[in-house]
Amino acid sequence: MLEIGKLPTHVAVIMDGNGRWAKSKNRPRLFGHNAGMQAMKQIVITASNLGIKYLTVYAFSTENWKRSTEEVSGIFKLIIKYVDSELKELIKNNVRINILGDYNMLPGDSVRAIDELLDKTRDNDGLVFNIALNYGGRDEIVKAINEIIIDRKALADEGISVDVTEDEVSNHLYTGVLHKNIPDPDLIIRTSGEERLSNFLIWQAAYSEMMFTDTLWPDYSPEEFTAMIEKFSHRKRRFGGREKEDK
Ligand code: FPP
């Protein structure tokens, strides 16, 4: 049984391997994304049942626009399908949804589905499920810098000059207190054997634990997720400091 005190507060997931999974079955890439969405649904419910407070998934990056039009529009259609099939279940499980990224760049029908998802889950106070959509870590930092520049211009007009701090940059990220107010991830999981961040939460990942698995995302199960959470609970985190016994 997992001890509540040792649960990660925030788990972030790079859901990788949908394309390879589909290819291994001689099916189109979208078949893999559809299976990936099913895996994602199960992980959301598992995270909620485990009592994890924040779950973030990387669903579409600022770089994913380079994929074929068919694949990109297929992923956006999946979002509509997700809202249609899952909204009731999310409400029943008291899950609140946030979007990290500029989702207004998506087609109108996907934007409307997302707005409904946000609106109908707004008052829930269980798991906070963040979907990174049209999200890029560098893009997020640049947006934060531009917000800070606007603040600084206003301050300069009053003759005030102050240095930028780490907290100030953090506050202006999508996850920051001025936006969605989500703590940095304690654990970042990536599936499919790749071991890199790929522009995902690059500022917030400074002290995150990382776990990798060769499992392709559509095959990633609640059991494997739970085993990783269990493994996390045994890790000792130092945040750049040292443990007492090391001193
Ligand atoms: C990475 O696998 C996966 C994606 C870029 C898309 C992930 C999207 C989903 C799981 C569906 C999300 C649905 C909603 C509702 C948010 P890949 O295509 O890069 O796989 P590959 O590396 O094997 O080609």
Side-chain angles (χ1 to χ4, degrees), residues 15-21 29 33 36-37 40 57-60 64 67 71 75 78-79 82 131 133 192 216-217:
M15 311 181 287
D16 198 8
N18 294 346
R20 276 163 285 166
W21 184 88
R29 293 180 61 79
H33 293 315
M37 184 177 81
M40 185 184 82
V57 297
Y58 205 8
F60 192 85
N64 286 153
R67 297 188 178 201
E71 183 172 353
I75 293 177
L78 267 186
I79 294 166
Y82 177 71
I131 306 175
L133 267 179
S192 89
L216 301 175
W217 176 254

Side-chain angles (χ1 to χ4, degrees), residues 10 54 56 96 98-101 130 135 140-141 143-144 147-148 166-185 201 203-204:
H10 181 183
Y54 300 87
T56 302
R96 188 171 92 218
N98 283 318
I99 303 293
L100 307 183
N130 309 299
Y135 171 89
E140 178 184 38
I141 294 168
K143 281 194 166 70
E147 285 184 12
I148 292 169
E166 285 189 15
D167 278 349
E168 190 176 10
V169 175
S170 293
N171 293 346
H172 282 272
L173 300 174
Y174 290 122
T175 49
V177 291
L178 297 171
H179 295 281
K180 299 296 176 195
N181 198 11
I182 299 158
D184 289 346
L201 302 175
W203 175 282
Q204 298 89 334

Side-chain angles (χ1 to χ4, degrees), residues 64-96:
N64 286 153
W65 292 100
K66 292 183 213 148
R67 297 188 178 201
S68 74
T69 317
E70 189 195 358
E71 183 172 353
V72 170
S73 58
I75 293 177
F76 295 156
K77 285 208 171 68
L78 267 186
I79 294 166
I80 300 173
K81 192 171 157 187
Y82 177 71
V83 178
D84 284 348
S85 70
E86 225 32 28
L87 186 55
K88 269 198 195 129
E89 188 71 9
L90 291 167
I91 294 171
K92 195 179 97 192
N93 283 280
N94 200 19
V95 176
R96 188 171 92 218

Side-chain angles (χ1 to χ4, degrees), residues 111-147:
V111 173
R112 281 189 291 280
I114 292 166
D115 283 338
E116 185 186 5
L117 192 60
L118 297 177
D119 192 48
K120 299 250 170 80
T121 63
R122 193 177 305 281
D123 296 329
N124 295 345
D125 60 5
L127 174 74
V128 178
F129 176 38
N130 309 299
I131 306 175
L133 267 179
N134 192 22
Y135 171 89
R138 288 186 175 182
D139 178 66
E140 178 184 38
I141 294 168
V142 169
K143 281 194 166 70
I145 291 169
N146 281 316
E147 285 184 12

